């Protein structure tokens, strides 16, 4: 069975603080893809990153960074020096060879000014 | 610009009526998906289609129906059999390993 768990339902931090969103996944496949999406109040899903199961290199994009660890089945997302515009719901997701994408329940992030 | 168009953005219907949500893409993607989002529930897969004239049930297909007569279009009908249809509905398409999402339709049944 496939599953994505985002244990943090809601997080609040003060602007300029760093914040890490946790994601733990389950899959029996050896080939799979992991994603992070941002959902602002308007509702659309904004793609942030895709990582395949064979690439465990961490990635940094501006203030965003991702830590992929197969040993713990985790794909955590860190925002450095958070800003109010980062306030949104963030989803971690998993897809495998059947091409369905399965989402976690999301983490609502509040960045307080 | 290529993308996915969902219409309308807001939809109100009376209980017991069927309603069809539109999803159109001009990305030339073969695969298309419908998701339902409820507060605190994340996104759950309703139906998906890998190719024209073929589709499969997702995790919560009961009370919904779809068609895929054209590559560009994947309409979702919320039938009167769906017990709790009020939700936010998102359509997506897949090209390679990239998924593109529409801006969603918020359906309210009164």
């Amino acid at each position: 069975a496939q599953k994505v768990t985002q244990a943090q339902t809601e997080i609040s931090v003060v602007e300029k603080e760093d914040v890490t969103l946790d994601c733990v996944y389950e899959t029996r496949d050896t080939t799979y893809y992991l994603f992070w999406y941002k959902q602002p109040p308007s509702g659309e899903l904004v793609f942030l990153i895709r990582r395949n199961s064979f690439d465990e290199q961490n990635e940094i994009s501006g203030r965003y960074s991702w830590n992929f660890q197969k040993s713990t089945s985790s794909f955590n997302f860190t925002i450095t020096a958070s800003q109010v515009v980062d306030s949104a719901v963030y989803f971690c997701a998993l897809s495998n060879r059947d091409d369905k994408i399965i989402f976690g329940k999301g983490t609502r992030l509040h960045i307080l000014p | 610009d290529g993308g996915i168009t969902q219409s309308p953005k807001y939809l109100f219907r009376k209980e017991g009526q069927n309603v069809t949500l539109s999803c159109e893409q001009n990305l030339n993607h073969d695969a298309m998906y419908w998701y339902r989002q409820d507060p605190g529930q994340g996104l759950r897969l309703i139906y998906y289609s890998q190719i024209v004239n073929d589709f499969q049930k997702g995790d919560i297909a009961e009370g919904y129906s779809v068609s895929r007569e054209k590559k560009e279009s994947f309409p979702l009908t919320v039938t009167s059999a769906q017990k709790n249809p009020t939700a936010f509905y998102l359509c997506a398409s897949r090209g390679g390993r990239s998924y593109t999402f529409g801006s969603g339709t918020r359906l309210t049944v009164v």
Side-chain angles (χ1 to χ4, degrees):
Chain A
Q2 294 192 117
K3 188 178 179 182
V4 176
T5 301
Q6 294 180 255
Q8 303 150 308
T9 305
E10 201 158 348
I11 300 175
S12 294
V13 300
V14 176
E15 197 173 18
K16 298 184 184 176
E17 287 185 354
D18 299 346
V19 58
T20 295
L21 309 183
D22 297 332
C23 174
V24 174
Y25 63 92
E26 296 176 29
T27 181
R28 293 178 183 167
D29 291 332
T30 56
T31 302
Y32 52 90
Y33 295 82
L34 295 164
F35 303 79
W36 275 96
Y37 287 89
K38 175 182 180 179
Q39 187 179 44
S42 54
E44 79 273 18
L45 285 184
V46 178
F47 169 80
L48 297 177
I49 190 172
R50 178 182 70 241
R51 173 70 64 200
N52 75 57
S53 53
F54 298 107
D55 183 3
E56 286 193 72
Q57 258 193 326
N58 291 330
E59 183 157 338
I60 298 175
S61 176
R63 297 184 296 108
Y64 295 170
S65 62
W66 291 269
N67 182 358
F68 176 27
Q69 291 194 342
K70 288 178 78 171
S71 60
T72 56
S73 297
S74 65
F75 187 44
N76 296 337
F77 172 34
T78 297
I79 301 175
T80 303
S82 60
Q83 300 176 1
V84 173
V85 293
D86 295 326
S87 297
V89 180
Y90 290 86
F91 290 99
C92 181
L94 165 73
S95 76
N96 67 356
R97 55 186 171 179
D98 68 4
D99 295 329
K100 294 186 293 184
I101 185 168
I102 295 171
F103 290 84
K105 293 188 176 183
T107 297
R108 184 175 296 276
L109 178 62
H110 301 279
I111 308 298
L112 308 173
Chain B
D1 287 337
I4 294 184
T5 300
Q6 288 189 245
S7 61
K9 192 169 179 64
Y10 298 96
L11 191 55
F12 295 88
R13 278 295 181 271
K14 291 185 177 179
E15 194 171 343
Q17 290 183 335
N18 291 355
V19 60
T20 298
L21 280 59
S22 169
C23 178
E24 303 279 332
Q25 55 104 354
N26 60 3
L27 300 164
N28 200 34
H29 287 171
D30 286 318
M32 296 187 73
Y33 307 80
W34 273 106
Y35 289 89
R36 169 181 173 140
Q37 185 177 14
D38 297 283
Q41 290 293 319
L43 281 74
R44 293 181 290 171
L45 182 63
I46 305 172
Y47 267 98
Y48 64 105
S49 168
Q50 306 272 34
I51 199 168
V52 174
N53 293 322
D54 187 43
F55 48 82
Q56 289 81 38
K57 293 181 179 180
D59 300 320
I60 56 166
E62 185 175 351
Y64 299 97
S65 66
V66 294
S67 62
R68 188 83 188 277
E69 297 176 2
K70 299 187 298 181
K71 189 175 187 177
E72 303 80 15
S73 179
F74 191 40
L76 173 74
T77 297
V78 184
T79 75
S80 56
Q82 169 50 235
K83 294 177 182 176
N84 187 18
T86 294
F88 185 60
Y89 292 87
L90 277 164
C91 178
S93 68
R94 180 181 61 79
R97 283 296 170 179
S98 295
Y99 294 80
T100 303
F101 286 83
S103 56
T105 293
R106 192 167 297 279
L107 173 65
T108 302
V109 175
V110 296

